[in-house]
Amino acid sequence: MSTNLKYLSLGILVFQTTSLVLTMRYSRTLKEEGPRYLSSTAVVVAELLKIMACILLVYKDSKCSLRALNRVLHDEILNKPMETLKLAIPSGIYTLQNNLLYVALSNLDAATYQVTYQLKILTTALFSVSMLSKKLGVYQWLSLVILMTGVAFVQWPSDSQLDSKELSAGSQFVGLMAVLTACFSSGFAGVYFEKILKETKQSVWIRNIQLVSFSLEPFL
């Protein structure tokens, strides 16, 4: 039963990631009258949905008691300002990263974006070694080298690209720089967040509420 659940979760995750990229790419390149929506608006809506989901999960863990939920949020967030401030750095980085992903998808096709963005695996591994003192085996390093090689081949221009004078959706250079910056920011923020989770006993839902709160503050 647990094995089937793992495969089901993996399938849902793959479908969600793929459909998200295709939807974002379609929405950013759709030609229609009027101005295009702001990427910051999409980021804020996503963060609002995220914080609502986390609050619901904390509410469930509090045995569906509004009084208990209010006490947990007050004790874990308002009464621990220094712990909450630790999330300011990854929050700002994640906000930058989410906006960069929209820039990247506005200038790269979905396949190129998806493959190039997998470099975040490499950056996460490097930051894990440097910040968490993790040790990677030979096969793990070899896998990272193969990943870099694959991304390099994807970025290698084909004959049709060399002959074409116009790009179908903006500047590929801008898109590439945006996705590479997002890879580094994703790796650092992810490892930093993992380090914070390991150093404290607060639940991941509380930590996510703190994280999203900083992300939403500039827009409120």
Side-chain angles (χ1 to χ4, degrees), residues 132 134 193-201:
L132 300 178
K134 286 187 176 181
F193 188 53
E194 180 182 351
K195 185 177 182 180
I196 291 177
L197 289 176
K198 290 181 176 180
E199 292 176 349
T200 59
K201 296 181 179 180

Side-chain angles (χ1 to χ4, degrees), residues 29-150:
T29 58
L30 180 64
K31 294 182 179 180
E32 59 179 13
E33 296 181 359
R36 188 187 304 171
Y37 69 88
L38 297 175
S39 59
S40 57
T41 303
V43 171
V44 169
V45 172
E47 294 300 310
L48 285 172
L49 293 174
K50 188 186 300 182
I51 197 172
M52 289 171 59
C54 290
I55 291 175
L56 285 175
L57 289 168
V58 175
Y59 175 71
K60 181 177 178 295
D61 291 340
S62 303
K63 299 179 180 179
C64 300
S65 171
L66 289 176
R67 181 175 298 179
L69 171 64
N70 183 62
R71 183 173 63 251
V72 169
L73 295 178
H74 187 272
D75 293 343
E76 297 295 334
I77 298 178
L78 297 179
N79 286 350
K80 296 180 179 179
M82 296 307 299
E83 289 295 321
T84 303
L85 282 175
K86 289 180 180 180
L87 276 298
I89 295 176
S91 176
I93 295 175
Y94 275 130
T95 303
L96 172 65
Q97 171 198 329
N98 290 334
N99 282 279
L100 285 174
L101 294 183
Y102 280 94
V103 176
L105 277 169
S106 299
N107 296 279
L108 295 173
D109 61 89
T112 303
Y113 162 85
Q114 188 74 308
V115 174
T116 308
Y117 191 48
Q118 298 314 306
L119 278 177
K120 66 181 180 179
I121 300 174
L122 172 64
T123 58
T124 301
L126 294 176
F127 283 119
S128 296
V129 171
S130 60
M131 296 174 62
L132 300 178
S133 300
K134 286 187 176 181
K135 295 182 179 181
L136 300 180
V138 177
Y139 289 109
Q140 291 172 314
W141 284 114
L142 180 60
S143 299
L144 293 174
V145 171
I146 294 174
L147 173 64
M148 286 191 298
T149 305

Side-chain angles (χ1 to χ4, degrees), residues 169-196:
S171 171
Q172 283 191 339
F173 179 77
V174 172
L176 181 60
M177 289 299 101
V179 75
L180 289 178
T181 305
C183 287
F184 278 95
S185 63
S186 174
F188 176 79
V191 174
Y192 187 93
F193 188 53
E194 180 182 351
K195 185 177 182 180
I196 291 177

